[in-house]
Each structure stands twice: as C-alpha cells, then as structure tokens.
Amino acid sequence: MNSKQFNLSGMDNMVTKLVLNMQRSRKSGQYTMNRGNSNEKIAFNRSGSQDSLDDLSLEDYWIEVEDIKKNTDNSSQEEQAVVVKVPDEGEQEEEWLKEAGLSILFGESTADSQESMVFLSTLTRTQSAAVQKRIDTFTQTLRKKNKQHQIPDVRDVFRQPQELKKKDEDLNGFESTETKNGDLNDKSDCTAQNNDSKEELTVPEESPVPVTDINLEISFAEQASNLKEFSVVKNEKEDDSLLPNFRVPQDKTGITKVGDLAPQDMKKVLSLALIELTALFDVLGTDLKLQRAAKLKFRESGLFKVPLTTLLEQDQKRVPGTRVPLIFQSLIHHIENEGLDTEGILRIPGVSTRIKAQCQELEAKFYEGTFNWDTVKQHDAASLLKFFIRELPLPLLTVEYLKAFHSVQYLPTKKNQLQALNLLVILLPDVHRDTLKALLEFLQRVVDHREQNKMILRNVAMVMAPNLFTLHNSQPRTVDQVVLASAARTASVMLLMIKYQNLLWTIPKFIVGQVRQQNTANQKKLTKEKAMKKILKRMAYDREKYEKAERSLNDSDVPQGFIRVQAPQFSKVSMAIQLTEELKAGDILARFLSQDGGTSRNIKKEEVCLYEIGGNIGERCLEDGTYMKDLSQLNPSADWVIKPKSNV
C-alpha cells in the first residue's frame, strides 16, 4: 500500500469515526469529536485559515447529514414519505418512449404518426441508436410476456444466427442495436483524428487551465462517441482554481436560454433533450434509469412540506406571474439583506427549538404579512432554507431525475458531467427549474463573500449536497466505503452546478437546429396536404387575404437587405431596418427605446425583447448579442416583433 492509499484509507476511517462519535457545540461555530470513552475533546475552530477549511470540507458533509438525521427524527411521523416506484422490465422503456414523445412507435394510434416520423428523421446517429435500443428492449419484453400465448413460427425456430444480426428496419429505418454498437467503435476510430483540439473532453487537472469553449453545435453524444477511449474519474482534490474554465462561445445567431422559446417548440426541446441525455449515457457506458413517484396525497396548503406546484399555485393567486415560491424568495432575501458576511453561513446550524417555532409561526403569519423577520437570526434563516429544500415531498431535482443527477458523478470527465447536467436541468419542470436557478444564484453570492464568511465553493457544495441529493425521509443507515465515495462525488456534482450554473440554462444549438428542421419539414408536409376541411380552407383564405393586405400597407416596399420590425407598444407603424454585418438585436431595441414617443420612455429594456416569430421557429426571444443578418439568413421567412418578455 502506497502513501496515497494509506492517507485515503486513514481519511475514510477518520470520517467514519467522526460520523459515529461527533457532537456539535452550539457556541461560536465550533465542533467537537469524542475519542472513545474518554472525555477529551478535540475542537475544530472553523474560523481558521483557508487551508483548514479545505482539509475539513468532507467533515462539513457528514456534519450536515447528522444534522438532517437529527431534525428528521424529531419531525412529525404523520408526514407521508415519497414512494418511488421502480418500473418493471419493459415498463422502463415504455415510460421512456412516452416521455420522449415516441409512443407512436408502440401504440396503435396514428394521429401523430406523420409528426413523429418527421421528429425521428432529425435525430443524430447516436440519438437514433438510443431510441432503437429502447424499442428493441421493449419489443423483446413484450415477446417474452406473450410467448406462452403464441405459437412459434417455424422460421423463428430454424433461423440462422447470422440472419438475426441482419439490419432490422422499423418505421424509421433504424438499425438494430447489435449492428449499431459494432459500427460505433469503428466510426469513432476514423473520426477521432478529425476532431478539433478544443473538442477534447479530457482536461489536464494538474495546473490551471485556460478558457475552454463548450461546443453546443454538435451533439454531446456524437462528440463523446468520437473519442477513442475515456479517462477514468479521478479522486483529485476539487480545488476551485484547478477546475476547467468552461464557457459558452458567442454564437452569431444568438444563444438560446430556457424560457426563450414558445411552448410548442419547448415541447420538442424536452423530447430531444431526453433522447440526447440517454444517448450520451449510452455512449459513455453509464446506466441511466428514470424513476417515478407513486400517486400520493400531500398537503394542499401551507409553506413547508408542500409540493412546489401547490406552493406556486397558491402564490400566483396572491402575486400573478410568480415563478419561484414566495417563502423561498423571502428566506433568501432575508439572508442577503442581513448580509452574507456572517461566518459559517449555511454550515453552522441554527437552534433546533427556535427553528421549529419559527416554522410554525411562518405557517400562521407569512401570508398575512405579520411575521416579524427581525427575530430570525442569520444561521436560523439558513437552516430554514435548507429545511424547506430537503422537506419538499417531491424533491427539487424531482423523483424522476434525482437518480439521473446522482449518476452524473460516474461520467468520465468534467465536460461530460456538465453536458449531462445541462440536459437534466432543461428536463426539469418549470417551477423546479426556476427554484433551482434561484438557489444556485444565491449560493454563488455566498461564495462571492468567501473572504468574510469563510465559505469557499467546496464548503458550500459539501453542505448543500445532502439537502439536494437525498430523497425525502431517506438517509443512509450505514457509512461504508461506497457511501463515502458517493458522498464526495455527489458534492462534486453540486460544485459543478454552482460554478457553471450560467451554462446550465442554455439550450444547445444542435437541439434548436433540430427543432428548426422539424418545423420546416412539418410545414412542407402541411402545404402538400390536399384534403382539408372547408372551414380550414376558409380560415386559410381569410388569413392569406389579411396578410396580403397588411403586407401591401407595410411590407411591399421593403428593399432587399432590410427587415421590417413591428413594435405595437411603441408605434402603430413598423420600421424598416437595414441589415449590416454588425447590426445586433440590442441595437434595434435601443433604437425603439430612444424614440421620442411617451410610451417608450416608460418601458425598461429588460422588460421587452426582440422576437423571432414564424418561419422555422415558433417563437424565440433574442439575446442582445444576436447578429441580425446571420439570423435572417438562417430564417428568412421570420417576422420580427418587439414585445414584453414572456418570462418577466
């Protein structure tokens, strides 16, 4: 056994003893640890140097676990725990196909068959392989279940092994997974040499690395499949300064964020993100299992231990347009308002009895507006925030994807992990995604005050991981080597989510491109349909007549190289704007906002957006840095409209 192994083993033993024997002092943020049966105590003063914080960060994780256990044990036993249902063989694939919007592949209904076929035609090679793998597994399971009710076909009995490996075409002409898997390795050898150097997924950890662009134009799974081999996850020290400096490169056609697309396009994004996530895990050889919660009754009112959807519904009745629960916003605001410089914020727990009393008082007075926030100390407020998160009956990361978030830790490289997290965040329901965003932004602000509060990125990640990655009322009973390794890696995933959070809300360009392809193909098919109902024909005729009249008034004289921008809030007349190489969406907004009209003076820039509408996209809010000439060439049939942001 070398010195590194000895030290790691020693650390594991120390942590195990720490978990079993730790006692917490409520004074000045110091922790004590008993040694055997003696009364001697070793004090860990957490106001020490940065190095001591690094060395004891794993201690933070297990102290937090112990605190959660203590509070969970003292909580009411009447609360209903989440029951996770593990699908039977075949049900997993069926659920997956439904979530991916591909139920047509195994259902009898043909209502959406045309749209499904268009959807399938836009998939990449690795995405197609992921779909085919689930279809094969689902089909094989059905055959097994129905085998006793079927008479064997003589051709199946005497079929040669070679014939079983032949190309098996389904509705979309997908190849069977047997041949796909064989081709995957062959193609990766041929294409790996053509990869640009910036696409390499392995980043040296031994020294600070330069800025590395995340390629959003090529499928993540395709990028991974082009590598000849994958590096093994290392147990390296997660020093903030040694983490890769990932960024999203500027795109001339604009970066698309979650919330920028119309609902009909976002629905396609969700299906594609699930397929892409599954393909990425398949290529990297990691098992991806989705779960679901059994239908249970939870509290239908209140603040704590209430599902986020229920909270948001009751909050929106009071404050229309609310996207994050009001109690969650209030807790964050109180912590920040009182200052983030408090030493050990998030790490040092509040007083249990006081927190319990404050929970009850908040339940009774919060919505009445009579709760006195001045009585809530900083550490108590932080404990209330963590209590709110971990006591959600349906976890913040959802029952469906919580296990998938856990599995991210087993992907080979930081880049793979970040790509998977990006797709998982996109897949979260709106209220869960918005609440997670508010939380991560708050945690980053805590880290920004690390010089004063002694909470570096690693410490924040270690403290928050047990609250976010553990199912409601479910804690590990024993501490073994597997649990220890998983704890550190789960905290590493939490760290990535905080550090690279700006990347998580970006919809990859290759997925937006697939949505554009689907919209274009669907439009072509619709225009070729001859059998239309009379009412639809009449509506189409009236619409065309109206559009022609409108174009005759506004658009007939638009010269080539110009676009016409409509801004109903600013002016009844649209404006023709010349396209130049440097013209950006933000420039157009600024031009309208600078008009002399009284209406524009009352509108703030952050409240409105220039939208790309129609053509090969439903609706898309453009970031200020979008180059309009490049985008108009990508979508020449689009309309350009300035209107209020839908997510404000």
Side-chain angles (χ1 to χ4, degrees):
M1 181 182 296
N2 58 35
S3 59
K4 276 190 175 181
Q5 292 174 325
F6 177 79
N7 291 336
L8 180 60
S9 177
M11 175 62 75
D12 293 341
N13 293 332
M14 185 204 76
V15 173
T16 304
K17 291 179 181 178
L18 182 66
V19 175
L20 297 175
N21 301 320
M22 189 180 305
Q23 292 182 343
R24 184 177 292 105
S25 170
R26 296 286 179 179
K27 301 176 182 179
S28 67
Q30 291 186 340
Y31 299 101
T32 61
M33 181 175 66
N34 284 347
R35 278 186 162 181
N37 296 324
S38 67
N39 295 324
E40 181 185 1
K41 297 180 180 179
I42 300 176
F44 294 100
N45 190 335
R46 300 316 302 269
S47 60
S49 67
Q50 189 88 345
D51 291 336
S52 66
L53 290 173
D54 288 345
D55 294 338
L56 296 174
S57 58
L58 193 58
E59 174 200 338
D60 290 336
Y61 184 98
W62 293 110
I63 289 174
E64 188 67 24
V65 169
E66 287 297 299
D67 189 62
I68 292 173
K69 284 184 178 181
K70 180 178 179 181
N71 289 324
T72 302
D73 292 338
N74 293 336
S75 64
S76 172
Q77 296 300 320
E78 297 178 1
E79 297 296 335
Q80 194 171 28
V82 174
V83 177
V84 178
K85 183 176 180 181
V86 180
D88 296 333
E89 186 180 6
E91 289 184 356
Q92 172 74 27
E93 286 70 28
E94 183 177 358
E95 288 292 327
W96 186 91
L97 289 167
K98 287 180 180 178
E99 288 293 323
L102 297 173
S103 55
I104 185 63
L105 297 181
F106 60 86
E108 296 180 359
S109 173
T110 58
D112 299 324
S113 60
Q114 189 178 68
E115 186 173 350
S116 296
M117 296 308 296
V118 170
F119 178 87
L120 291 169
S121 68
T122 64
L123 299 185
T124 65
R125 174 175 56 89
T126 50
Q127 290 173 348
S128 298
V131 173
Q132 185 63 57
K133 181 178 179 181
R134 272 75 201 167
I135 294 174
D136 288 349
T137 303
F138 176 69
T139 304
Q140 291 170 7
T141 304
L142 285 182
R143 287 174 179 172
K144 290 179 182 178
K145 290 182 178 180
N146 298 328
K147 189 174 182 180
Q148 56 183 350
H149 305 293
Q150 296 177 345
I151 300 175
D153 191 304
V154 67
R155 291 171 295 179
D156 293 332
V157 176
F158 294 101
R159 182 170 292 154
Q160 297 296 322
Q162 289 80 3
E163 295 181 25
L164 292 175
K165 296 182 180 180
K166 286 185 178 179
K167 185 176 180 182
D168 181 19
E169 299 288 333
D170 68 349
L171 291 175
N172 189 41
F174 288 156
E175 295 179 17
S176 63
T177 53
E178 287 84 353
T179 56
K180 279 287 186 180
N181 291 336
D183 293 340
L184 198 62
N185 294 329
D186 295 337
K187 291 182 180 180
S188 65
D189 290 338
C190 298
T191 55
Q193 296 179 354
N194 295 328
N195 259 4
D196 188 84
S197 59
K198 71 177 182 179
E199 302 308 324
E200 290 295 330
L201 301 188
T202 55
V203 181
E205 300 283 350
E206 60 272 8
S207 60
V209 292
V211 172
T212 303
D213 289 344
I214 293 288
N215 188 339
L216 299 179
E217 298 187 6
I218 301 175
S219 159
F220 299 152
E222 292 291 329
Q223 293 180 45
S225 69
N226 288 337
L227 292 180
K228 293 182 178 179
E229 56 185 12
F230 308 111
S231 60
V232 180
V233 176
K234 303 176 182 178
N235 291 321
E236 73 275 0
K237 184 179 180 181
E238 293 284 1
D239 190 327
D240 301 0
S241 63
L242 298 183
L243 287 172
N245 190 8
F246 292 125
R247 72 174 181 186
V248 175
Q250 181 61 43
D251 188 292
K252 282 201 165 187
T253 59
I255 295 172
T256 306
K257 295 285 187 179
V258 173
D260 287 349
L261 296 178
Q264 65 267 29
D265 286 337
M266 195 61 197
K267 184 178 179 181
K268 296 183 180 74
V269 168
L270 295 178
S271 297
L272 289 165
L274 177 58
I275 295 173
E276 175 66 17
L277 177 70
T278 308
L280 179 62
F281 272 70
D282 284 353
V283 169
L284 296 175
T286 303
D287 194 23
L288 175 66
K289 294 292 185 181
L290 304 183
Q291 304 177 124
R292 55 177 172 168
K295 293 183 179 180
L296 299 173
K297 291 184 178 180
F298 302 109
R299 294 181 61 188
E300 297 181 356
S301 62
L303 300 177
F304 299 95
K305 303 183 180 181
V306 180
L308 283 174
T309 51
T310 304
L311 269 175
L312 197 63
E313 287 174 4
Q314 65 186 24
D315 287 350
Q316 288 177 340
K317 293 177 182 178
R318 295 174 170 84
V319 183
T322 300
R323 300 177 65 89
V324 177
L326 296 176
I327 180 61
F328 191 77
Q329 294 184 51
S330 297
L331 287 169
I332 289 178
H333 176 74
H334 178 72
I335 297 172
E336 294 185 340
N337 193 45
E338 293 297 317
L340 293 173
D341 297 341
T342 304
E343 187 172 325
I345 192 69
L346 293 176
R347 174 175 49 77
I348 299 176
V351 179
S352 298
T353 54
R354 198 161 57 212
I355 293 169
K356 185 177 180 180
Q358 288 168 346
C359 280
Q360 295 173 350
E361 191 176 356
L362 278 166
E363 293 277 9
K365 299 180 179 180
F366 177 74
Y367 285 123
E368 296 178 359
T370 58
F371 181 78
N372 185 9
W373 284 98
D374 293 335
T375 62
V376 182
K377 300 181 182 297
Q378 284 291 78
H379 293 300
D380 291 347
S383 293
L384 283 168
L385 182 69
K386 292 187 292 184
F387 178 80
F388 173 87
I389 295 169
R390 68 173 178 265
E391 290 298 322
L392 287 170
L394 298 174
L396 183 58
L397 302 181
T398 72
V399 173
E400 290 78 7
Y401 297 111
L402 183 60
K403 195 169 183 179
F405 273 96
H406 269 280
S407 300
V408 168
Q409 63 186 286
Y410 301 112
L411 299 183
T413 69
K414 291 288 190 296
K415 194 169 185 180
N416 296 146
Q417 294 171 7
L418 186 57
Q419 290 168 337
L421 287 172
N422 179 203
L423 297 169
L424 282 168
V425 166
I426 291 173
L427 287 167
L428 291 177
D430 290 346
V431 61
H432 288 257
R433 191 194 307 120
D434 293 336
T435 305
L436 176 64
K437 189 174 189 293
L439 174 64
L440 294 179
E441 289 173 346
F442 163 71
L443 295 179
Q444 182 58 57
R445 290 192 289 271
V446 171
V447 175
D448 291 341
H449 288 72
R450 56 188 173 274
E451 293 296 332
Q452 294 77 29
N453 58 36
K454 308 300 180 185
M455 293 296 292
I456 62 172
L457 180 58
R458 285 193 70 208
N459 300 120
V460 174
M462 286 287 180
V463 169
M464 293 305 300
N467 294 281
L468 222 66
F469 286 88
T470 306
L471 197 61
H472 178 66
N473 286 342
S474 173
Q475 298 297 333
R477 296 180 181 179
T478 60
V479 180
D480 53 22
Q481 298 297 322
V482 175
V483 174
L484 286 168
S486 180
R489 287 179 174 177
T490 302
S492 177
V493 174
M494 185 76 229
L495 184 146
L496 291 177
M497 293 174 66
I498 299 172
K499 183 173 178 65
Y500 304 114
Q501 58 184 277
N502 290 335
L503 309 183
L504 301 181
W505 321 105
T506 303
I507 302 177
K509 185 178 180 179
F510 69 87
I511 289 182
V512 178
Q514 288 177 298
V515 173
R516 292 185 186 276
Q517 292 175 32
Q518 292 174 27
N519 289 337
T520 300
N522 283 325
Q523 288 171 6
K524 288 181 179 179
K525 288 183 178 294
L526 287 174
T527 56
K528 292 179 180 179
E529 290 181 352
K530 296 181 180 180
M532 296 181 68
K533 295 181 180 180
K534 291 183 179 181
I535 187 171
L536 292 178
K537 285 185 177 181
R538 184 65 185 173
M539 290 174 62
Y541 173 78
D542 291 342
R543 180 182 176 185
E544 183 180 358
K545 184 178 180 181
Y546 172 79
E547 290 176 349
K548 283 182 178 179
E550 187 179 40
R551 284 196 297 269
S552 65
L553 293 174
N554 297 322
D555 300 340
S556 58
D557 298 328
V558 177
Q560 187 175 4
F562 284 74
I563 59 171
R564 187 168 292 280
V565 179
Q566 303 173 44
Q569 280 193 303
F570 298 96
S571 174
K572 293 182 179 180
V573 181
S574 59
M575 180 184 292
I577 296 179
Q578 184 177 8
L579 293 173
T580 64
E581 295 293 338
E582 300 301 322
L583 180 68
K584 299 180 182 178
D587 300 331
I588 296 177
L589 277 177
R591 189 176 303 184
F592 276 89
L593 288 170
S594 63
Q595 287 180 339
D596 295 331
T599 306
S600 62
R601 295 177 182 175
N602 300 324
I603 299 176
K604 297 179 181 179
K605 185 177 180 181
E606 58 269 19
E607 295 176 349
V608 294
C609 182
L610 175 60
Y611 281 84
E612 170 196 3
I613 301 177
N616 54 35
I617 202 75
E619 183 176 292
R620 175 174 173 246
C621 176
L622 304 181
E623 63 165 355
D624 288 348
T626 303
Y627 286 82
M628 296 305 300
K629 186 174 182 179
D630 294 87
L631 182 58
S632 63
Q633 291 173 352
L634 178 64
N635 191 3
S637 302
D639 293 325
W640 313 100
V641 181
I642 296 176
K643 63 177 186 174
K645 290 183 179 180
S646 58
N647 59 347
V648 172

